[in-house]
Amino acid sequence: MKFIKYTISIGLIGLLTSCQNYLDVKPLESISDAQTIYDKTSSETAIRGVYSALASTNYYGTTFQSIGYLSGDNIQWTGSQSQVQEFINKKVNADNSTIASAWTAIYVTINRANNVIAKVPTVTDPALTTDLKNQILGEAYFIRALAYFDLARTWGGVPLITKPTASPTENRGIARSTQAETYAQVLADLTTAEPLLSATTNRYRATRKTVWALRARYHLYQKEWEKAEEYATKLISDNASYQLVKPYSAFFANDARGTAESVFEIFYSTNEPNSHRNQWQPQTNGGTRQWAPNDALVALLNDPKVGGGRSALVAKDNQNRWYGNLYYRTPAADPTYVIRIAELYLIRAEAEANQNKLTAALADLNAIRSRAGIDVTTAQTKDQILLGIENERRLEFALEPHRWFDVVRTGRAATVFNVTDNNRLLLPLPAGELLIDKALVQNTGY
């Protein structure tokens, strides 16, 4: 991982008044990864930098997200770069530039979080109150947890770096931890973050509720069904803050942002746009349409008995070609949706089904179907309900980065994707990282 100086674009962090309840946002600030954090202002600048890294083009802006859906079975690649087609073919090579860019972006995010975690506790500025200091630290721990969660589910075990990096060579020689150890780091960071954060509702910044949401996802991946149900329920039961908005398109259409659907989304602005939009929109709308919904997804979404209102995710251009329409704004100020309340319903449904709480699982599954405008499911048995949940997740998050990870974590990649080589369920470590750090060992099969 290279040492990087960076500019913090903070316009994406809550330009809306509702997002500014504890930090004043300035137009632009610059800071290096090794910056000295010595007062309230520099502490606030540093945490904004962590969010900026999370929102970067190569992380939740575009690149990391694309791994999640290009690797699935909903999206086709319309461009000419063979490296992108590798994800569609489920045969990604170690020299793939997409995985290299995502890997680096995630570790940049971790390094910025590490700086906050290491330095903010030492600040003695009276203006940095205990509550504000705790809030900033809690946010850094949450984002670091999310970053290691994404590394673990994509690459397996990775080097666990929990101290700031001040030079290009500092982190060389750190061997990979196991996937279990990497997930343990995620849980440790979430556990630390939870009491530091307040139980308020903020759709753009981490709060205790945001921690609960990621914990629900974490426990689902670990097949810890009781815990997954418990943490999902914390969000679902707070129906004053979180709701399945209707119709389905209400959380993104007509320039909507920060709706009751959103648990955690990333804010972009016209000055600091979301590069994702151009990849989806067709040329007539100023985009490139380099990836687009495939025929199978279009048929499912446009079936009124299956897709229902989720057909709003796709549209046709002037050449009669289908394109994805979740990211559509001009200029490209579309949010990135990291966690929606719909995911918590489906997490709880899956956790309940796996505990044989079939009536409860059906109720949560049907809540998603009802919001989509389709009939209640005919599923009755545990296996039928689990398959129904899988199918709903495919359409509910059709243009969000869940499909590949969902099918891999449930052990159904061979059946759904025809991936019979289990080594291909994890991506290779970037070849360039192995060249510069001999302590790193490649994933088996690459």
Side-chain angles (χ1 to χ4, degrees), residues 296-356:
L297 178 62
V298 168
L300 290 169
L301 289 174
N302 286 325
D303 184 339
K305 295 182 179 180
V306 177
R310 292 174 295 209
S311 60
L313 289 171
V314 294
K316 276 188 177 181
D317 68 6
N318 60 353
Q319 299 180 52
N320 210 35
R321 302 177 305 176
W322 291 100
Y323 63 91
N325 208 33
L326 181 61
Y327 295 91
Y328 61 87
R329 303 172 206 221
T330 304
D334 306 271
T336 286
Y337 306 98
V338 182
I339 307 174
R340 295 196 280 116
I341 193 63
E343 182 184 354
L344 279 300
Y345 273 91
L346 290 169
I347 286 173
R348 190 169 74 172
E350 189 173 335
E352 290 164 337
N354 277 292
Q355 297 174 81
N356 291 306

